[in-house]
Amino acid sequence: MSFAGCSLLSLKEVSLREVAALFSLAKKIKINFEENDYFFSSNVLNHLKGKVVANAFFEPSSRTMMSFQMACQRIQLPYINLPSRKDSSLVKGETLVDTVMNLKALRPDLLVIRFNHSIELSEYLQTLDCPVINAGSGITGHPTQALLDVFTMLEHFPSLAGQKILFVGDVAHSRVAVSNLEILRLFEVEIGFCCPEFMKPSGEMWDSLNYFSDLAKGLEWATVCMGLRVQVERHQAVEKFDPRAYAQNYCINLEKIKSLRSEALIMHPGPFVRDLDFSHEVLSDSRCVIEEQVTNGVYVRAALLASRLCSDQMLLDEEVIGKKV
Ligand code: CP
């Protein structure tokens, strides 16, 4: 099977074989970089030099945007960035779809896009004749984040079978949780979530999962604690949200993680708001792998970009050859 030319808009239909192939390439890149200071050998790099990626981030981003840019830099893949909203023609009244139509007309080889999910734009993206990677779409998905999350989990556990993944925080508004559920269906994990009543997600995919209103009980159960940011900007009824009461019950801090087992992982996709959804002291806990998530994001995204722009044979040769340029 080939990824070349394929979009990644969600993880709903991804197979275990596809995920394993992508992770194998990301692992290869990681080993190449850590041992030899390069991501790919000359064949792949020469091929990628002739391509151009267009990055269009219509919603704010630090990690994801820089991670894609870093991945492009490391694999010598040229890219262009759409200016921020205030510096683009969006301020003149151009729509998102028209902006993307113009980007497409520049004939990039791949489009990376973050946007506040709209049915019109989502449908339009499916018609494009260049591959599109979803870098976060409103509350509907963040596939590359979920890929790097699972890649990181797999580095710490021999297998995900039997692991208990707990999402803590604003689950109802989390695109990261949606995409994680989409990919974790491929592994024999148990999934739970912990949040106040008004942050409970709706929909059948959540109905059969373990719900904890009490964080201590959730943390006792979990082998992975995945914190999620409170997405105040997406709340419809802001008045329901009391930051002090929320932090008291749901902020992941040193006191709360006492009930988490010693071999568990503490994760967060970022950004986190200190002392609201995550206490910075937890960063120093030996179980916390947040920095590893960010680092792995570059390897996983580089693998994803290359898999869309190179033939399988070229990447297969890379696995065997792996010579420095
Ligand atoms: N995790 C994540 O998507 O972070 P950014 O919003 O900073 O890209």
Side-chain angles (χ1 to χ4, degrees), residues 175-219:
R175 55 187 171 207
V176 173
V178 171
S179 288
N180 264 277
L181 251 59
E182 287 173 358
I183 187 171
L184 287 170
R185 78 189 147 78
L186 301 171
F187 301 89
E188 289 165 22
V189 296
E190 285 185 60
I191 299 177
F193 59 102
C194 174
C195 55
E197 198 64 35
F198 80 97
M199 288 180 178
K200 274 171 95 171
S202 55
E204 7 173 311
M205 71 177 181
W206 294 98
D207 290 348
S208 58
L209 305 181
N210 304 285
Y211 170 65
F212 299 89
S213 57
D214 184 281
L215 183 54
K217 289 210 170 80
L219 291 175

Side-chain angles (χ1 to χ4, degrees), residues 2-26:
S2 174
F3 292 124
C6 293
S7 290
L8 182 76
L9 295 173
S10 86
L11 295 171
K12 269 186 211 135
E13 288 174 6
V14 76
S15 69
L16 191 54
R17 225 172 123 220
E18 289 168 323
V19 172
L22 187 76
F23 285 179
S24 156
L25 186 59

Side-chain angles (χ1 to χ4, degrees), residues 226-267:
M226 173 87 74
L228 300 171
R229 182 175 67 87
V230 177
Q231 314 242 334
V232 180
E233 73 278 19
R234 301 196 199 275
H235 288 184
Q236 300 292 322
V238 179
E239 70 275 9
K240 277 189 187 167
F241 181 62
D242 172 355
R244 282 177 64 155
Y246 177 85
Q248 200 164 13
N249 292 315
Y250 296 101
C251 179
I252 299 166
N253 57 27
L254 287 184
E255 186 55 36
K256 299 269 172 40
I257 60 170
K258 281 183 185 158
S259 55
L260 190 64
R261 46 188 105 187
S262 59
E263 73 280 15
L265 298 181
I266 300 170
M267 306 180 79

Side-chain angles (χ1 to χ4, degrees), residues 83-227:
S84 65
R85 175 173 282 272
K86 73 175 175 45
D87 295 320
S88 78
S89 288
L90 288 163
V91 288
K92 302 176 198 166
E94 189 165 56
T95 67
L96 292 191
V97 170
D98 291 340
T99 303
V100 175
M101 188 181 77
N102 277 279
L103 270 181
K104 184 203 82 158
L106 296 173
R107 309 286 302 274
D109 296 283
L110 189 148
L111 174 65
V112 176
I113 185 164
R114 167 169 290 192
F115 60 110
N116 190 359
H117 177 82
S118 84
I119 292 174
E120 193 190 8
L121 183 53
S122 297
E123 284 175 355
Y124 179 65
L125 291 176
Q126 287 171 28
T127 69
L128 292 190
D129 54 5
C130 80
V132 182
I133 295 179
N134 176 357
S137 50
I139 62 167
T140 67
H142 195 349
T144 64
Q145 179 67 47
L147 283 166
L148 75 89
D149 292 339
V150 172
F151 181 85
T152 305
M153 288 177 207
L154 284 166
E155 287 194 319
H156 286 270
F157 299 121
S159 146
L160 289 196
Q163 300 302 335
K164 295 176 174 171
I165 322 284
L166 180 73
F167 296 96
V168 179
D170 194 353
V171 192
H173 299 98
S174 174
R175 55 187 171 207
V176 173
V178 171
S179 288
N180 264 277
L181 251 59
E182 287 173 358
I183 187 171
L184 287 170
R185 78 189 147 78
L186 301 171
F187 301 89
E188 289 165 22
V189 296
E190 285 185 60
I191 299 177
F193 59 102
C194 174
C195 55
E197 198 64 35
F198 80 97
M199 288 180 178
K200 274 171 95 171
S202 55
E204 7 173 311
M205 71 177 181
W206 294 98
D207 290 348
S208 58
L209 305 181
N210 304 285
Y211 170 65
F212 299 89
S213 57
D214 184 281
L215 183 54
K217 289 210 170 80
L219 291 175
E220 246 175 67
W221 171 85
T223 61
V224 175
C225 162
M226 173 87 74

